[in-house]
Amino acid sequence: MVSYVYWCLFKWGVTKELIGSEQLAAMQTVPGLRFEKSQAKESEPREPVAWAEVEKIFDLVSPVVADMLRVQWHTGCRPQQVCTIRPCEVDTARDPWTWTPGRHKGTFRGHVLTIFLGPTARRVLEPYLDRAGDSFCFSPREAKIAQLKSKGWKVKSVMAKFGLRYKADTYQKAVLNGIAGLGKPRIKAPFNREKFATAGLVYWTPHQIRHSKGTEIREQYGIEAAQAMLGHASLSATQIYAKKRMELAREIAEKTG
């Protein structure tokens, strides 16, 4: 089967009358590549990363990135979500706190995602809520300004060079820079798995943190708990089942978040 991204692209082309509907129908008949049955390079499976590996880079990245990693670890959220969290999305009046991202993977389907913030996640996030409700909690500009001020440098030029929020790729780049700093001597860009392996370092990205949280919850509480905690949704789920999963997610956040 052709990837969903390409199907959407061709479907858009049909709606704009750029191509005929028969081309979309023909594309849908193309079979997918079978595992290890073609010359295409197989992607490596996404493995969980150990907390010990994450902790190693805290002194090698900005305090902001370190806190992003902590929030992601204790909530299991996606990298894109921790990059765009805003104070207005966090309800501190509830116990535990709830975080409702404005946009997420299931937004276009009408799904509402609720992420419960346990004790550790709340302690990490609380200092970042003292700003305008619609601003971003984690700002690369703020991180750079703090770094320059600590060295007594001027910060005027920072305003134009650094954005107001991290993107998934810049967040990942900051993490890889942190891992590279563990090398002796420091690994120089561009980064790849081979370079890290040669230096005896573990190559990992923020995407693996979510996998780590899911694995941890599944092993301790079962697959239904992992689905609840990570916000996996089923279009056929009933309202009763959805409520049951929300209660389960709340309970697990208090114990593990």
Side-chain angles (χ1 to χ4, degrees):
M1 180 182 290
V2 177
S3 75
Y4 180 72
V5 174
Y6 285 109
W7 180 83
C8 289
L9 180 62
F10 273 68
K11 183 180 178 182
W12 176 84
V14 172
T15 61
K16 296 297 182 179
E17 298 184 349
L18 299 175
I19 60 174
S21 59
E22 67 279 359
Q23 291 178 270
L24 177 62
M27 186 197 68
Q28 291 176 300
T29 66
V30 178
L33 298 178
R34 298 176 61 187
F35 181 69
E36 294 187 344
K37 297 295 183 180
S38 73
Q39 295 182 351
K41 183 179 179 180
E42 302 292 348
S43 59
E44 296 185 17
R46 184 172 295 168
E47 300 292 339
V49 58
W51 174 245
E53 294 296 332
V54 178
E55 282 185 310
K56 285 181 182 179
I57 71 168
F58 283 172
D59 292 335
L60 300 171
V61 297
S62 72
V64 172
V65 171
D67 283 341
M68 291 171 71
L69 290 169
R70 291 185 179 97
V71 169
Q72 198 187 350
W73 182 273
H74 290 289
T75 62
C77 69
R78 292 183 171 87
Q80 297 90 333
Q81 292 164 347
V82 77
C83 288
T84 58
I85 184 172
R86 303 169 185 255
C88 62
E89 298 173 347
V90 181
D91 186 354
T92 60
R94 302 179 64 177
D95 189 19
W97 293 0
T98 58
W99 167 22
T100 308
R103 294 186 63 83
H104 58 90
K105 190 175 181 179
T107 301
F108 76 101
R109 289 181 176 146
H111 293 170
V112 176
L113 176 63
T114 300
I115 299 173
F116 294 98
L117 300 170
T120 304
R122 293 198 293 267
R123 285 195 297 271
V124 175
L125 186 60
E126 188 171 14
Y128 296 92
L129 300 179
D130 62 344
R131 61 197 66 205
D134 60 349
S135 59
F136 297 103
C137 291
F138 301 116
S139 165
R141 183 179 298 176
E142 182 178 320
K144 191 63 178 180
I145 289 175
Q147 180 186 23
L148 294 180
K149 283 184 175 180
S150 68
K151 296 180 180 181
W153 295 356
K154 295 181 179 180
V155 299
K156 185 177 180 180
S157 61
V158 172
M159 303 305 290
K161 292 182 179 180
F162 292 85
L164 296 176
R165 74 170 179 88
Y166 286 90
K167 296 181 180 179
D169 59 340
T170 54
Y171 176 34
Q172 177 169 311
K173 185 177 180 180
V175 168
L176 293 178
N177 268 303
I179 302 173
L182 296 171
K184 300 189 183 303
R186 178 188 178 89
I187 298 176
K188 296 182 180 180
F191 307 126
N192 56 53
R193 293 179 183 275
E194 289 72 23
K195 277 191 174 183
F196 282 83
T198 301
L201 302 176
V202 176
Y203 179 99
W204 60 271
T205 70
H207 293 277
Q208 290 172 251
I209 293 180
R210 178 174 169 83
H211 189 59
S212 299
K213 187 67 173 182
T215 301
E216 173 194 353
I217 299 303
R218 179 170 180 172
E219 290 177 351
Q220 293 187 34
Y221 301 97
I223 188 170
E224 183 180 338
Q227 290 174 330
M229 189 67 185
L230 298 183
H232 290 165
S234 170
L235 293 177
S236 61
T238 63
Q239 290 298 319
I240 295 176
Y241 181 62
K243 182 178 180 180
K244 178 182 177 182
R245 281 182 28 192
M246 291 283 282
E247 292 297 329
L248 186 57
R250 179 183 291 109
E251 177 184 348
I252 293 172
E254 281 294 322
K255 293 179 179 179
T256 68

